[in-house]
Amino acid sequence: DSGVTQTPKHLITATGQRVTLRCSPRSGDLSVYWYQQSLDQGLQFLIQYYNGEERAKGNILERFSAQQFPDLHSELNLSSLELGDSALYFCASSVGVAGGSGEQFFGPGTRLTVL
Amino acid sequence: AQTVTQSQPEMSVQEAETVTLSCTYDTSESDYYLFWYKQPPSRQMILVIRQEAYKQQNATENRFSVNFQKAAKSFSLKISDSQLGDAAMYFCAYKGRGAQKLVFGQGTRLTINP
């Protein structure tokens, strides 16, 4: 158990809908990262927040957005969902803005299925 | 941009034997971290081992060790005395020291034959 929690574990929805994925980092970690794992794109970095502020952006679609709240939990919002958005979404956390020792600790993931 | 390549989509090994998974990377940075992550069928991403680029000594964690060749930009993982529980997808990952994101390879699926 990494100490990072993600809810829900599974999410099934229809095209065009909007969903919210939630992540709570390890105690003491200020950085939260979101990654997408899909069959065709592999594991890709989406976005990072550090202590409430966006710090890095990867290949995140405009239909996707994220935020980190004062209690440090983060939410990833996916809207106007398409079939291709079906994937496993991971949240990871680390102590510092650039990860300190480099390590990022991953949550169990949320499996999103868009029908 | 940094890239990570795992040239072996699948590997198999007999239980109790040794297997080596390959990883190469491309970067112009001199200071960075390299990682091997394990993803079992549960889908959890588990950190197996970490190497800092400025350390010449290869990292070791119990039955897991790496062969880090900085000049060749190669970072292979050796699993000794393979166990059934080692069966998983293994991902090699790169992170620049000051960077935020991990860059992952495509993964190697390891099967352990009893």
Side-chain angles (χ1 to χ4, degrees):
Chain A
D1 185 355
S2 67
V4 179
T5 61
Q6 288 187 249
T7 56
K9 273 187 148 177
H10 303 279
L11 202 47
I12 302 174
T13 188
T15 54
Q17 295 298 305
R18 172 189 168 95
V19 297
T20 297
L21 313 183
R22 182 187 168 104
C23 166
S24 291
R26 292 187 321 159
S27 177
D29 284 358
L30 299 179
S31 273
V32 170
Y33 310 79
W34 286 96
Y35 290 86
Q36 179 194 58
Q37 184 178 27
S38 61
L39 281 175
D40 53 344
Q41 297 290 330
L43 267 158
Q44 291 209 315
F45 168 74
L46 295 178
I47 197 164
Q48 179 212 7
Y49 277 80
Y50 175 76
N51 204 21
E53 293 189 4
E54 181 185 308
R55 293 304 296 260
K57 229 171 181 177
N59 299 325
I60 187 166
L61 300 171
E62 284 192 12
R63 300 183 286 109
F64 296 0
S65 65
Q67 55 184 326
Q68 186 179 28
F69 295 86
D71 67 352
L72 301 177
H73 91 271
S74 177
E75 292 181 357
L76 179 67
N77 300 295
L78 314 177
S79 61
S80 302
L81 285 167
E82 302 175 358
L83 295 177
D85 297 328
S86 295
L88 188 56
Y89 291 85
F90 283 108
C91 169
S93 73
S94 68
V95 172
V97 63
S101 63
E103 293 180 28
Q104 294 180 13
F105 298 89
F106 283 75
T110 292
R111 164 127 354 245
L112 173 66
T113 302
V114 182
L115 300 175
Chain B
Q2 294 82 18
T3 58
V4 177
T5 302
Q6 294 178 248
S7 58
Q8 307 153 315
E10 295 183 357
M11 291 279 286
S12 64
V13 65
Q14 291 296 124
E15 193 177 2
E17 294 191 347
T18 295
V19 63
T20 299
L21 308 184
S22 301
C23 172
T24 58
Y25 58 95
D26 188 24
T27 184
S28 58
E29 297 174 317
S30 59
D31 198 7
Y32 49 86
Y33 301 99
L34 294 164
F35 306 89
W36 280 97
Y37 280 87
K38 171 184 177 182
Q39 187 178 40
S42 67
R43 299 292 190 175
Q44 176 80 48
M45 293 291 286
I46 302 165
L47 179 63
V48 174
I49 200 163
R50 178 177 70 97
Q51 176 78 42
E52 297 181 55
Y54 68 86
K55 288 188 177 178
Q56 291 188 330
Q57 186 172 6
N58 289 323
T60 299
E61 289 287 341
N62 300 315
R63 298 182 294 107
F64 299 86
S65 61
V66 298
N67 183 4
F68 173 49
Q69 302 288 330
K70 191 173 184 179
K73 296 180 182 174
S74 169
F75 183 61
S76 61
L77 174 70
K78 186 171 85 170
I79 306 174
S80 304
D81 185 26
S82 297
Q83 300 176 1
L84 295 178
D86 295 333
M89 281 289 287
Y90 285 81
F91 291 94
C92 178
Y94 169 99
K95 181 183 166 311
R97 179 171 285 276
Q100 282 76 23
K101 68 177 184 180
L102 289 166
V103 178
F104 287 91
Q106 289 298 101
T108 296
R109 182 174 302 281
L110 177 64
T111 301
I112 311 295
N113 301 311

